[in-house]
Structures are given as C-alpha cells and as structure tokens.
C-alpha cells in the first residue's frame, strides 16, 4: 500500500503487489455534484448524452455505494457493502455496455466482493429480480430506461433493487439523491475493461465478476409456476402465438422459453434480437406503438394469441384475435382465474393495483373475499405488501402485471399466464374477457397522455387543480355528482411510511373516476396523464368503443382542468 498523486489529479491510495505503472489500482478522484440526480417513478432516467458526461454515472453509483455502505458507529463511512454480492445487468440499450464497465470498477473500489453480471451486460428487469432472489444477493443494479426510446440520442437509466429483488424504496432513493448533492470524490479502479461476453469467473481488483446466463434463473422460476407440459401440448396441437419483443431485451427470454423449450414454431417471437436503439421502435407495448402486432391480430389469418413486451421486458400487452385487452382488465381476469395455474393453485393472499388502474380487480377481490390494496404508481410500492405476504398478484394500468415470484412486473410471465388460461379453459382471449364482463361488469378505461408540455404549464395545472379540490365534492356534471376529490396519499400498511401528492382524483357517485397525474419517467418536458374510468354492469351496454364510452368524462376533465387551453394541444398525443 502506498499513497501517491497521479498527473490527472487522481490520488492513488492503494495498489497491488508491485509498483509497475500498468498495474490496476483503486484511485480516488475529486468530483462535483450534478443537479437533478433524483430518481423518479423507476430509477434515474436521463438522455444518453447526459449520462455520457464525465463522472455523471460515476457520481450516482458512488452515491449509491456510499449509502449502501452506511455510516459506521462514529458517523464515518461504513462497510456494509464490503464482502457482498450484487447483480448487474440491463436492457441492452445504447450505453449499456460502457456503463457496465464503469459500474464494475466502482463496485470493485467500494468493497463489493462479487458481481453476478448478465452475459453481455444483459438482464431483463424481471430476470434481474429473479437472480437477486435466487442467489440471495445484497441487491442489484439494473440499467434501463424501460419503455423510453433508446439509441445515442435516446434515454438511459439506472436503478437499484434491494435484496428482496424489488426497486429501492423512497427512503433509499432519497438518501442516494441527497448524497449525490454533497459528493466530493469517487473511488474507482483504473483497471482495463473486462470481457463481459464470456461466461465464467473473472477478477477485477479483489472483486470476482461472474458472467452468468441471463435466462437460466428466470426460466427456472417460470418452470416452477406454470404447467410446461400443458403449454407444450398446446403448440403441438397447432395453437398459434405471436410475441413482439420490439427489438428489446425480452426477445432472448421469449425465444428460449416459448420456442426452444415449449416448442412454439420458430418465428413465434418477432423482433427478437435486442438492438441498442430498438431498431427505432418505441418499445412501449400499447396499441399505438405496437401497431404491427395489432395489424397482425386483426388480419384474417391472425394467430390465436398476440402479445408484446417493453424495453426491459417487464410490461406486457395481451391481444386476442381482433381484440385488445386493457391492462386493468388483464389483472382482473388473471385474479379471477389464478387457481387454474399451478403456481397459484392454493389461491391468492390478496391483490394490489396502482391508484390510476381501474377498479375491475376490486370487484373480483370482493367476490373472492381477497384483500385489495390501492397503491401509488410505481412497482416499488408493491414490495412491502409482497414481502409481508399480504398480496400475490399486482398490476398497473400501464401494461404491467406481476406476482410474488419476483419483485418487478413481468412481461413474459404475464404472457405465460394468459397462455395457460387459454390452455386450461380452452377459451379464447376475447371469450375470457367478455365472460368476465358479464360476470363482474365492465370498467371502461382509457389513459390520455399529453406529452412534451412545458414543465411550468404542467405544474401550474396541477397546482390549480389542488386549489380547486375543496369546492368539487357535491358539484354536478351532467348526470354525475362528485363524491370525493383529493390528492391521493398513501400510508404503507406494512411500514407506515407516507407518500403524498400521488395524483389528483375525482370520484363520482356512479363509480366513475377522473385522475390527473404527472409522469415521473420522462426526460423531456412534462407529460400529463389523464386516466378515465366508468363502470357498466349491464351486458347490453358493454360493447361501445372505449373512447366514445368515456367521451363525457374527458369533457368533464377538460372543464375542470382546461388542458387544451393551457397546453395549446387539440387533444392527447396518445390515447390507449
Ligand atoms: C410509468 C407508468 C407506471 C410504471 C412506470 C415504470 O410511470 O405510468 O405505471 O410503473 O412507468 O414502468 P410514469 O411516472 O411515467 O407514469 V417501466 O416499464 O417504464 O419501468
Ligand atoms: Co419497463
């Protein structure tokens, strides 16, 4: 051990064995805080060009390591991360490979003993969660901006998942943010890049890097939940499926499980090779972005079942022949039939949905006598409920469903679930949903996104709504009366933590809802999300086009918030 100062200002605090200048060493480098490194709904997401700034990624990861290392008894830097194992991988988007190398060098310098790295730096978000859980690691770092566009001018992202496999809670993400704002130095190895493509063990400083098959652990979890023989039998009998992986990370997982293991014909998974820029597709699986899949499912020779996943393979869209399933309905149908699936044969502990997700699942929960929780948007809020054994299935309106098998939403899991439902009942996607509506009623549902709004316009709109809230209850709009108007706040039933300002909701006396919320995943301007929902019990009135069925609620939203006047937009940029 020796202390020295290098020409670039970096301070050499230790190096190994000899004093040869090419030997790898752990060095400290002075740094300065970057503003705005606060994680949003799901991690820190910024333009690639922002992440490419020298020390931008380094600062965030150093802050994370500092927080994870914790203070010792005297308030000095602690060593909680020392000797621990972390999982590392990402969705393969542009900058993924460079970021992996940087993070490995920081991890090695900050005491991490071992990293389980997905081969090529690849791990889908649910697979990363599965690896953390199966190998009982300290936690993991996931590199993804999920459904955001990729490529050199697209987005990049990073988030930390804890030892339960789930996204860090707000206490931790806030602590990391606070640390980024006072950081003065980085501790990093100056070793050469390692080979991230060859399976097996390598050494980086004192740290072992184990390059692992990104699919193996995840596939093992799927095998434990679903009846693979039943699914194999379906394909043998000619069942047809089209999975659009949108040139994103889900491709290799879907190919390995659906085609190689379950015998679906080659070509069942399309856009199956992950590309750094997603081949210019927007890997957000909704009917607008996955229009090619929608077109195939509307053709005369449509497959029996269609599905798509997003950039990091945690989202799913379920499509039948000529029939698109809303994510909120998907959660409700899955809940109603869960016992048909081996992994859920003994029943569910409870269910949870994010606040803007439709209340369709609430009706199923009531009928099955299950507890049903309403959480803020973002998967991190399901973690405590899952860990405490209070819920088994969770879902969000944004094409996300998942269960206690991991602590992330899971796109391919949802596809296997729906495939299994069709195999077990012999019914089509459309029949399953229509029968569901007949039994439970239909919750017409849509989300209108107003993208690229000026941040101050969006903030003023929300602030004005907050001011208007107290006068809204009792106000009559056409046939409806407002029964409740508030800014959603959540008290976590497990740890009592409080999350405020989670979206403005107007509840009406007929069960309809209008919700306003600002997105927390974008990287440019603000996105206003308007969520509209209306309940119809009468089967004779369940076949209206969705936008038509909700037009009167959209008009109420406009009357209350003045979105068009404020934004100058004639309508939403996306309505799904
Ligand atoms: C969006 C969705 C939210 C989801 C989040 C992360 O957040 O609305 O339901 O959990 O993305 O999904 P926001 O704050 O933009 O509304 V993913 O697949 O992008 O990690
Ligand atoms: Co995602």
């Amino acid at each position: 051990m020796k202390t020295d100062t290098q020409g670039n200002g970096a301070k050499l605090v230790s190096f190994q064995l000899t004093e040869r200048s090419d030997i790898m060493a752990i060095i400290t480098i002075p740094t300065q805080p970057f503003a705005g490194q606060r994680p949003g709904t799901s991690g820190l997401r910024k333009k690639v060009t922002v992440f490419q700034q020298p020390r931008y990624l380094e600062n965030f990861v150093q802050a994370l390591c500092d927080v994870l290392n914790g203070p010792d008894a005297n308030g000095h830097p602690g060593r909680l991360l020392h000797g621990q194992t972390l999982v590392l991988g990402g969705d393969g988007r542009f900058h993924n490979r460079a970021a992996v190398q940087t993070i490995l060098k920081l991890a090695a310098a900050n005491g991490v003993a071992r990293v389980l790295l997905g081969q090529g730096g690849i791990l889908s978000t649910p697979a990363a969660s599965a690896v953390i859980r199966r190998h009982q690691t300290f936690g993991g770092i996931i590199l993804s901006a999920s459904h955001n566009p990729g490529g050199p001018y697209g987005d990049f992202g990073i988030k930390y998942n804890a030892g339960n496999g789930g996204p860090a809670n707000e206490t931790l993400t806030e602590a990391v943010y606070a640390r980024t704002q006072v950081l003065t130095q980085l501790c990093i190895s100056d070793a050469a890049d390692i080979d991230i493509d060859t399976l097996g063990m390598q050494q980086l400083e004192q740290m072992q890097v184990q390059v692992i098959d990104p699919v193996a652990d995840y596939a093992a979890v799927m095998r434990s939940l679903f009846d693979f023989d039943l699914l194999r039998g379906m394909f043998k009998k000619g069942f047809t499926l089209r999975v659009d992986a949108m040139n994103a990370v889900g491709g290799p997982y879907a190919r390995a499980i659906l085609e190689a293991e379950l015998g679906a014909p080659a070509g069942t998974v399309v856009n199956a090779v992950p590309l750094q820029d997603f081949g210019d597709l927007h890997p957000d699986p909704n009917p607008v972005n996955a229009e090619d899949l929608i077109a195939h499912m509307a053709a005369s020779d449509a497959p029996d079942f269609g599905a798509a996943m997003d950039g990091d393979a945690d989202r799913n869209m379920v499509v039948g022949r000529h029939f698109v399933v809303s994510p909120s309905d998907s959660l409700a149908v899955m809940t109603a039939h869960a016992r048909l699936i081996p992994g859920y044969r003994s029943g569910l502990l409870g269910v949870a949905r994010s606040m803007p997700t439709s209340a369709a699942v609430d009706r199923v929960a009531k009928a099955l006598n299950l507890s049903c929780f309403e959480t803020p948007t973002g998967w991190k809020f399901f973690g405590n409920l899952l860990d405490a054994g209070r819920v088994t299935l969770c879902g969000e309106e944004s094409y996300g469903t998942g269960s206690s098998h991991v602590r992330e939403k899971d796109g391919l899991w949802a596809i296997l679930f729906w495939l299994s439902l069709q195999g077990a009942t012999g019914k089509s996607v459309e029949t399953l949903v229509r029968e569901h509506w007949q039994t439970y009623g239909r919750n017409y549902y849509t989300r209108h996104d107003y993208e690229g709004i000026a941040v101050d316009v969006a903030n003023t709109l929300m602030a004005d709504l907050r001011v208007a809230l107290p006068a809204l209850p009792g106000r009559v709009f056409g046939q409806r009366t407002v029964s409740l108007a508030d800014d959603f706040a959540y008290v976590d039933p497990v740890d009592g933590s409080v999350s405020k300002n989670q979206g403005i909701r107007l509840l009406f006396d007929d069960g309809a809802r209008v919700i306003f919320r600002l997105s927390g995943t974008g990287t440019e301007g603000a996105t206003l999300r308007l969520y509209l929902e209306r309940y119809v019990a009468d089967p004779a009135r369940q076949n209206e086009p969705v936008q038509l069925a909700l037009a009167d609620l959209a008009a109420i939203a406009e009357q209350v918030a003045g979105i068009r006047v404020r934004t100058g937009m004639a309508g939403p940029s996306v309505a799904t």
Side-chain angles (χ1 to χ4, degrees), residues 291-575:
E291 56 177 359
D292 179 65
L293 177 69
I294 300 296
H296 272 90
M297 297 309 293
S300 54
D301 60 347
D304 296 308
F305 176 31
M309 291 178 281
D310 74 335
D312 59 338
D314 58 355
R315 298 188 182 199
N316 73 91
M317 177 172 69
V318 170
V319 192
R321 280 196 173 130
H322 309 273
F323 191 86
V324 181
V325 182
S326 95
S328 298
D329 281 346
S330 175
L331 176 64
V333 172
M334 290 164 101
T335 301
H337 296 289
R339 278 175 179 270
L340 296 174
I341 313 272
Y344 309 96
R345 195 140 279 158
S346 58
L348 305 177
L349 298 166
V351 289
R353 63 164 171 85
S354 67
M355 182 274 283
T357 304
S358 98
V361 71
D362 301 32
R363 296 180 181 275
V364 183
K366 200 167 175 209
L368 299 182
N369 201 18
L370 296 171
S371 40
C372 178
F373 297 87
E374 185 177 39
T375 60
T377 294
W379 211 261
K380 57 179 176 258
F381 293 104
F382 295 133
N384 277 349
L385 294 168
L386 290 162
D387 286 351
R390 308 270 294 259
V391 301
T392 307
L393 293 193
C394 309
E396 294 193 278
E397 50 65 40
S398 53
Y399 298 86
T401 28
S403 91
S404 51
H405 68 289
V406 286
R407 292 293 179 275
E408 292 279 4
K409 53 190 184 274
D410 188 343
L412 187 50
W413 167 86
I415 295 170
L416 291 167
F417 199 119
W418 271 91
L419 192 60
S420 302
L421 291 187
Q422 292 165 80
T425 61
K427 292 175 183 169
S428 71
V429 170
E430 177 169 0
T431 302
L432 284 165
V433 175
R434 289 200 184 279
E435 288 184 358
H436 188 92
W437 291 342
Q438 278 163 21
T439 308
Y440 295 98
R442 176 172 185 185
N443 291 67
Y444 281 104
Y445 187 84
T446 187
R447 183 176 104 185
H448 291 182
D449 289 337
Y450 291 81
E451 297 170 327
I453 307 179
V455 173
D456 59 334
V457 170
N459 286 335
T460 308
L461 185 151
M462 293 299 283
D464 289 351
L465 274 175
R466 278 187 194 103
V467 172
L469 281 178
L472 284 173
R475 205 168 135 189
V476 178
F477 292 89
Q479 307 287 312
R480 298 193 170 89
T481 306
V482 178
S483 53
L484 186 149
D486 72 357
D487 194 347
F488 182 62
Y490 179 64
V491 182
D492 186 300
V494 179
D495 67 13
S497 59
V498 180
S499 303
K500 291 186 177 158
N501 302 325
Q502 296 296 326
I504 289 177
R505 8 174 236 180
L506 271 53
L507 275 54
F508 296 88
D509 53 355
D510 64 345
R513 297 195 306 162
V514 171
I515 292 151
F516 303 87
R517 208 188 133 256
L518 296 184
S519 159
T521 56
T523 60
E524 246 177 56
T527 293
L528 172 72
R529 303 206 195 284
L530 171 65
Y531 309 84
L532 306 170
E533 174 183 3
R534 181 184 137 212
Y535 177 69
V536 174
D538 179 2
R541 292 168 48 228
Q542 290 174 350
N543 294 311
E544 276 180 69
V546 173
Q547 297 303 328
L548 206 62
L550 296 166
D552 59 338
L553 285 170
I556 294 175
E558 186 55 37
Q559 198 182 332
V560 173
I563 304 169
R564 291 179 190 189
V565 180
R566 288 170 187 264
T567 62
M569 293 167 78
S573 16
V574 186

Side-chain angles (χ1 to χ4, degrees), residues 247-272:
N247 301 321
V249 77
Y253 294 87
R255 267 198 175 155
I257 293 173
L258 295 168
E259 295 183 7
E261 192 159 353
L262 295 176
T268 294
V269 186
V270 299
N271 296 320

